Amino acid sequence: MKGKILVTGGTGYIGSHTVVELQNVGFDVVIVDDLSNSTAAVVNQIEEITGKRPAFHQFNLQNLELLGKFFKECKGIDAVIHFAAFKAVGESVQKPMNYYRNNLVSLINLFECMENAGVNNLVFSSSCTVYGQPEHLPVTEQTPRQTAESPYGNTKIVCEDIIKDYTHANPKIQAIALRYFNPIGAHPSALIGELPNGIPNNLVPFVAQTAAGIRPQLSVFGNDYDTPDGSCIRDYINVVDLAKAHVISIGRLLDQKNESAFEFFNVGTGKGVSVLELLNAFEKATGQKVNYKIVGRRAGDIEQIYADTTKANSVLGWKSVATLEETLLSAWNWEQRIRIKG
Ligand code: UFG
């Protein structure tokens, strides 16, 4: 496919995997990232995987002047994939203003500059967090959104609303929001993956670090939920499969196949997996024992959520293909590689 795609947050976890998949099908990629939660070395790794070095610019999208200058100098952008955002749920409760300022202002600045530069297509990183704890499972795109549990979750809801209102007022602008379930795993090359800052909050990086001996023990947050084994249920989506959903969404916008100015899709596997099932699958896939203990519930956790992916399957023609075991093995291979490299 031909075209030039701006990927904000392109050195981050999902962003870097998406840059690889975009380049694999022939897109030119320009990354803008402030490296607040990633490193410039990721650009080298992307080059090693794809044989092509994406252009890279380091700045924060809150800086409207720099962003405007960037769009003036970097001509011919066909579409933007907007990953750049803060994403730590707990931190967002401590520092809500940082989250609102960064996540909302970045999107607003991006739209302003896109409009000035005549760039009409946007794919946005949303999250299943917008559904809260739904009454009925699996969740479809029609499932009502709920009041967010955290400022982070609220930024996803408000950003979706900004996109809805903006595309309504500016019919030239077309957007797709992808509502990710729980992205996990790493590129099969083990050259890129998730690089958690300090002690991981998310389950799979914590599991991998525990298996690697970096953490003495995993805490399983609760076994008294109303689920078959008592632990929480999530829909764990392979990060490469997720990256491919972005490439398809870009193709849909560029080919003008979208049915409305703002579309949104659930991106998950459609399968609910409990924390204990995931641990079991990790041990089976990697042959590593994970030392864990059951502790109390974590504040703010929902009991269970998994996607109905019918819309993404039928409208986008996208489906997750990786098995849970192979995805967990990729997370383990990545963990070992970063451990070896230090
Ligand atoms: N868990 C543990 N122990 C840990 C970490 C997690 O038992 O050390 C459990 C959690 O209680 C939860 C499951 O593993 O049941 C998954 O937890 P994660 O922190 O990996 O993911 P969450 O579902 O809490 O959050 C993810 C994203 C958020 C997003 C949310 C949407 O990290 O950005 O999904 O539901 F908002």
Side-chain angles (χ1 to χ4, degrees):
M1 283 194 250
K2 287 217 158 45
K4 187 168 171 181
I5 315 299
L6 165 61
V7 181
T8 76
T11 55
Y13 174 41
I14 307 170
S16 58
H17 289 81
T18 301
V19 173
V20 166
E21 297 308 318
L22 285 166
Q23 294 199 154
N24 279 347
V25 297
F27 283 111
D28 289 325
V29 176
V30 186
I31 295 172
V32 170
D33 198 305
D34 68 354
L35 301 182
S36 59
N37 195 23
S38 60
T39 69
V42 173
V43 181
N44 303 336
Q45 310 296 67
I46 293 171
E47 183 177 9
E48 198 172 329
I49 296 169
T50 63
K52 195 174 162 190
R53 193 172 181 82
F56 171 63
H57 301 260
Q58 184 184 349
F59 62 90
N60 186 288
L61 302 174
Q62 288 178 65
N63 190 326
L64 184 58
E65 205 184 313
L66 282 184
L67 188 59
K69 196 162 162 269
F70 165 81
F71 269 95
K72 272 208 186 90
E73 285 165 8
C74 188
K75 301 247 185 290
I77 294 171
D78 296 292
V80 179
I81 308 183
H82 181 40
F83 291 105
F86 293 159
K87 61 168 186 179
V89 176
E91 185 186 57
S92 79
V93 177
Q94 306 304 320
K95 300 175 180 168
M97 286 309 134
N98 289 5
Y99 273 67
Y100 286 116
R101 189 178 299 115
N102 188 58
N103 294 4
L104 304 188
V105 172
S106 294
L107 177 66
I108 292 166
N109 285 351
L110 201 49
F111 270 145
E112 184 172 331
C113 294
M114 284 170 64
E115 191 179 340
N116 290 339
V119 179
N120 295 330
N121 303 300
L122 178 88
V123 175
F124 176 70
S125 291
S126 191
S127 164
C128 69
T129 195
V130 302
Y131 298 119
Q133 175 61 72
E135 267 181 48
H136 303 288
L137 290 168
V139 286
T140 72
E141 288 78 359
Q142 261 58 57
T143 299
R145 297 183 318 180
Q146 288 187 36
T147 307
E149 293 272 354
S150 68
Y152 156 77
N154 205 26
T155 67
K156 292 297 175 193
I157 290 179
V158 177
C159 281
E160 284 194 355
D161 289 343
I162 291 172
I163 297 170
K164 178 169 77 67
D165 293 341
Y166 190 71
T167 52
H168 179 74
N170 297 272
K172 268 200 200 153
I173 306 274
Q174 308 285 304
I176 291 177
L178 299 179
R179 290 175 174 165
Y180 315 152
F181 283 66
N182 286 53
I184 61 165
H187 193 266
S189 65
L191 287 167
I192 52 172
E194 190 170 6
L195 266 178
N197 222 338
I199 302 173
N201 293 308
N202 295 116
L203 179 62
V204 170
F206 206 109
V207 167
Q209 289 194 6
T210 307
I214 297 167
R215 312 275 157 215
Q217 193 170 52
L218 167 81
S219 296
V220 171
F221 298 132
N223 69 344
D224 56 352
Y225 286 97
D226 188 14
T227 60
D229 65 22
S231 64
C232 290
I233 289 176
R234 297 286 183 276
D235 183 337
Y236 295 95
I237 174 74
N238 177 285
V239 68
V240 176
D241 283 344
L242 174 58
K244 288 179 179 165
H246 294 79
V247 179
I248 293 172
S249 300
I250 286 290
R252 181 172 173 83
L253 290 174
L254 295 183
D255 293 343
Q256 301 186 325
K257 294 259 170 62
N258 52 314
E259 282 153 18
S260 60
F262 182 31
E263 297 180 312
F264 36 92
F265 298 93
N266 287 342
V267 188
T269 65
K271 283 194 265 323
V273 173
S274 76
V275 175
L276 295 174
E277 282 170 342
L278 184 139
L279 280 177
N280 202 18
F282 183 89
E283 294 190 343
K284 215 169 114 197
T286 65
Q288 302 295 314
K289 274 265 154 236
V290 180
N291 181 29
Y292 75 90
K293 73 161 186 259
I294 309 282
V295 300
R297 294 181 177 196
R298 180 170 72 176
D301 266 345
I302 55 164
E303 180 175 278
Q304 46 183 319
I305 187 162
Y306 48 96
D308 181 323
T309 59
T310 310
K311 190 177 174 197
N313 299 161
S314 60
V315 178
L316 292 180
W318 172 90
K319 208 171 181 347
S320 81
V321 292
T323 65
L324 179 61
E325 265 98 17
E326 68 189 85
T327 304
L328 291 169
L329 182 59
S330 73
W332 174 238
N333 289 339
W334 163 246
E335 175 59 43
Q336 284 176 294
R337 184 186 159 272
I338 45 179
R339 201 156 43 103
I340 293 161
K341 291 207 92 178

